[in-house]
Amino acid sequence: MDDDLPTDFQVIVVGTGMVESIVAAACSRIGKNVLHLDSSDHYGGLWASYNFDGLQKFIKEVNSDPKRQLQVYNLAEKWYIEKASAEESKAEGEEKPEDGKGDPAKKVWTQDSFAAEYRKFNIDMTPKLLFSRGPLVELLISSNIARYAEFRCVTRVLTWLSDKLMPVPCSRADVFATEAVGIVEKRQLMKMLTSIVGYNEEEMNNEFKDWNDKTFKEYLTHKGLTPNLIHYVLSAIAGGTNSMPCLEGVKECKKFLMSLGRYGNTPFLWPMYGSGELPQCFCRLCAVFGGVYCLNRPIDKVQTKTADDGKTVVTIDSKSKTLNCDHLVIGINECPKDLISPEPAESCDISKAVFITNGSIMKSDKEPLTLLRFPPLSDEDNAVTVLEVGPATGSCPKGLFVVYFITNKVKDAESDLMPIAEKIFDMSGGDQTADTEKPKCLWSLFYNVKDTSAPVASTADSVHVCSGPDAGLDFDRAVEQAEQIFKKICPGQEFLPRAPDPEEIVFEDDVTHGPEFQREDEDAEGDAPKE
Amino acid sequence: MAKTYDYLFKLLLIGDSGVGKTSILFRFSEDAFNISFISTIGIDFKIRTIDLDGKKVKLQIWDTAGQERFRTITTAYYRGSMGIMLVYDVTNEKSFENIKNWIRNIEENASADVEKMILGNKCDLEAKRQVSKERGEQLAVEYQIKFIETSAKDSLNVESAFYTLARDIKAKMEKKQEASNPAGARTGGHQLRNEPQRKPTSWLSRCSLL
């Protein structure tokens, strides 16, 4: 079936990660003829979400393929529950939604019950949040791609202070309501936050002109904030550590504060069914505007040649077929080494972990969706981003939570992250029904990912290399990079103009019979879904 | 904004390339059959509001955007769908055999209780027929799915197919609501489905960016 794949395109995109997918959508949207390939059988590459079965396959694949381990390594999966329950559990199958009040009796999970509900899991390889007024949200709205996705608001931001979890007051109302800070502190905090939001670019440069080589912490101390407040602003709001440069801290704070009040109590949105949906939304738009999609299609060789008219043509060998295009957009993990110039410098890799637990890290009336920025435990450590999502996000079955840890690697994923896991989870296994203070960890996965997020230049003008996922909280760098690549391919063109709603597409001609409705061959010809 | 419908159903069209999914969509939504405009414009979905037992039911019918061609439908396409039309071409044996694969695909990706229906399209092309009506019926019985032969070109059964699917979804939905109403309790978080009758208390906590 693959063989009726057309061979000539203006743009070929290889890899369905976030950056690649945005570029594909943008090119297709303005009328470029786009082919989008992926060597794997699913969308997203390292940005994908997997159900529990898919995740098991992913782990097996990586563990058995040394080539894959150049991207993902140190994979360690561990169960904290039995394979099968000793006695047949009484209420098998569909758990009816609990009616009435109070906690339903805690279900005892087994490895088999995970497997039975594998489809209800959507576990992210690259979990990320969206700032409510960040570039991705604005792009989704302005391009009308928002209609392909749904979101939930992050309901709370937590921090780790004095050896326990504390909610971070986000909004003005929160600041006034919180009992964690005193009256005088409240006024101080409000003043500080209000002034940061108020600065425009110029004022910011003025106010902070002497702070270029100083840290944000020094600035906050200078402003007379108490240690408590410094912790809230630096760690929880700016997401920084003691060494965070002042200007960066101010900018991060401003970004946080500017995104408040648009959709919920916190500045953040989480995509339903996981971050892996987002590249697919852009792929859908690309397809709607005629982009051709083909997964399971590895490429073997890439060459650039100059045609007689001086134009560069990129040729790609794939499954004994030669594909031609004017521009090749390719994910860094799929890209032949000789096209990358120069080899990207060694960077700090990323340590990640996923936990499945039987309760939230901090009890809450309604199902919470939590961001926790865990400050470094020691000076050698990095801050850890913790995201906890529940069944309402389509991430897991009822009664469970999925918790993601992300940090810059120091030693390896398990050594970097286990100490923090032990602080907020009960990692001892054992009786799941016991009423423990901390939720029980039922399953964990630690892994390291090579950081391929630095922008990379290619050896040819018509080849554009897309970076991999970064350790950052949001998608901003991916969006920014996609726009830059698009501008190189289509200079002067609008980046993802609004796609019309179906209601807005009006057909001018009345019902007239088109060409004869018949097809001799099995398969359609042409690029569009002509049926 | 005043709501102009009682229910909103998201429906999908699934099946091999060239079986006539887009033609069925246009026949139902525009009462038109014209190939020339279909391939030119980016069609996401079409909308038609129908009247079912006194209720206004808005059908939002999504097309595959050609992503079925190399079996590359996104998992995102299936999210929130309530009904699926599985379409094959009666003049194309392969497209009929592939229905089983598509059903597997649906089971993997769509919600477990999604309503399904099989359509044998292009039944006007009797001379070229490769798949008999009986085989279609047999397959439908095997999967316990409703079946009907259609012709988007001659406008045969397209209308009644969508009405049937919509009626089944509505019946299932009302049954569910009846079952959950006596308890009267909403479980934490908002429903993943559009629930036009009960507006979530706060639209802020779960929002489409529109």
Side-chain angles (χ1 to χ4, degrees), chain A residues 1-6 43 51 53 97-100 118-119 122 130 136-137 140-141 144 146-153 262-264 269 272-273 277 280-281 283-285 287-289 291-295 366-367 391-394 398 502-503 505 507 509-531, chain B residues 15-23 26-27 30-47 58 62-77 79-80 91-92 94 106-112 121-122 124-125 128 152-153 183 185-192 194 201 203-210:
Chain A
M1 198 176 181
D2 279 9
D3 280 335
D4 47 84
L5 188 65
Y43 286 89
N51 64 33
D53 199 37
E98 59 269 26
D99 33 29
Y118 77 95
R119 282 191 47 220
N122 279 296
L130 293 81
L136 183 54
V137 168
L140 287 168
I141 295 172
N144 218 349
R147 65 174 171 229
Y148 302 138
E150 284 183 309
F151 297 88
R152 278 192 181 272
C153 296
R262 186 173 198 178
Y263 295 118
L269 295 173
M272 287 283 292
Y273 311 106
E277 295 286 294
Q280 296 188 34
C281 296
C283 293
R284 164 93 191 168
L285 186 92
V288 165
F289 282 88
V292 177
Y293 275 79
C294 197
L295 301 184
K366 275 207 236 145
E367 183 185 317
T393 63
K398 271 213 175 76
E503 295 92 328
I505 300 171
F507 299 98
D509 51 355
D510 273 353
V511 186
T512 48
H513 281 274
E516 189 62 37
F517 184 66
Q518 56 177 226
R519 176 151 289 124
E520 301 286 346
D521 333 69
E522 270 181 19
D523 297 305
E525 70 253 348
D527 310 320
K530 201 193 270 183
E531 288 178 12
Chain B
D16 281 6
S17 289
V19 297
K21 294 185 294 296
T22 310
S23 300
F26 273 73
R27 172 56 73 198
E30 307 267 321
D31 197 21
F33 184 81
N34 184 337
I35 294 178
S36 61
F37 60 54
I38 291 172
S39 59
T40 52
I41 304 164
I43 296 298
D44 242 342
F45 55 84
K46 300 286 291 175
I47 284 172
K58 186 170 172 179
W62 291 66
D63 202 357
T64 50
Q67 285 183 314
E68 80 287 8
R69 196 160 158 214
F70 303 106
R71 307 211 158 273
T72 48
I73 292 196
T74 57
T75 55
Y77 181 64
R79 303 291 184 208
T91 71
N92 180 338
K94 195 87 205 290
I106 290 169
E107 283 169 354
E108 190 72 14
N109 293 301
S111 144
N121 192 36
K122 304 194 194 176
D124 54 291
L125 300 176
K128 291 185 176 174
K153 187 183 173 195
R186 279 185 66 98
T187 51
H190 297 292
Q191 291 286 299
L192 302 189
N194 289 306
T201 42
W203 65 275
L204 287 171
S205 50
R206 178 181 181 238
C207 34
S208 206
L209 297 181
L210 299 168

Side-chain angles (χ1 to χ4, degrees), chain A residues 295-308:
Chain A
L295 301 184
N296 255 327
R297 188 93 199 192
I299 56 159
D300 305 316
K301 206 166 116 195
V302 178
Q303 279 179 304
T304 54
K305 333 185 257 227
T306 311
D308 300 337

Side-chain angles (χ1 to χ4, degrees), chain A residues 70-237:
Chain A
L70 297 173
Q71 308 160 16
V72 181
Y73 57 100
N74 288 341
L75 241 83
E77 185 192 19
K78 193 175 168 194
W79 286 100
Y80 302 78
I81 52 178
E82 301 290 325
K83 175 87 179 66
S85 59
E87 63 214 87
E88 267 324 290
S89 75
K90 25 201 158 59
E92 257 314 326
E94 281 295 290
E95 288 246 324
K96 287 274 171 280
E98 59 269 26
D99 33 29
K101 299 250 166 79
D103 275 348
K106 270 190 185 165
K107 179 170 172 173
V108 177
W109 292 88
T110 60
Q111 297 181 26
D112 286 351
S113 59
F114 270 47
E117 302 210 49
Y118 77 95
R119 282 191 47 220
K120 292 194 178 150
F121 290 94
N122 279 296
I123 295 174
D124 282 8
M125 287 295 101
T126 304
K128 280 178 180 293
L129 297 176
L130 293 81
F131 277 90
S132 297
R133 284 195 178 82
L136 183 54
V137 168
E138 301 299 349
L139 179 63
L140 287 168
I141 295 172
S142 65
S143 65
N144 218 349
I145 293 173
R147 65 174 171 229
Y148 302 138
E150 284 183 309
F151 297 88
R152 278 192 181 272
C153 296
V154 171
T155 61
R156 62 185 184 185
V157 178
L158 300 182
T159 188
W160 182 259
L161 185 62
S162 321
D163 240 20
K164 61 174 195 265
L165 290 171
M166 298 279 284
V168 176
C170 285
S171 61
R172 184 181 284 263
D174 278 0
V175 171
F176 284 112
T178 184
E179 288 162 19
V181 288
I183 278 282
V184 183
E185 283 183 307
K186 277 181 191 177
R187 216 174 294 140
Q188 253 184 339
L189 184 60
M190 282 308 300
K191 202 174 149 208
M192 177 79 211
L193 298 181
T194 313
S195 67
I196 287 180
V197 172
Y199 293 135
N200 60 30
E201 201 69 22
E202 197 185 325
E203 286 164 342
M204 205 177 304
N205 289 338
N206 261 335
E207 166 80 14
F208 299 104
K209 64 175 184 294
D210 298 330
W211 291 91
N212 269 338
D213 51 352
K214 299 212 174 71
T215 66
F216 191 38
K217 189 174 182 181
E218 286 174 289
Y219 174 76
L220 297 173
T221 314
H222 168 79
K223 283 280 167 184
L225 264 61
T226 62
N228 239 351
L229 291 185
I230 291 177
H231 176 89
Y232 280 123
V233 177
L234 175 64
S235 168
I237 294 180

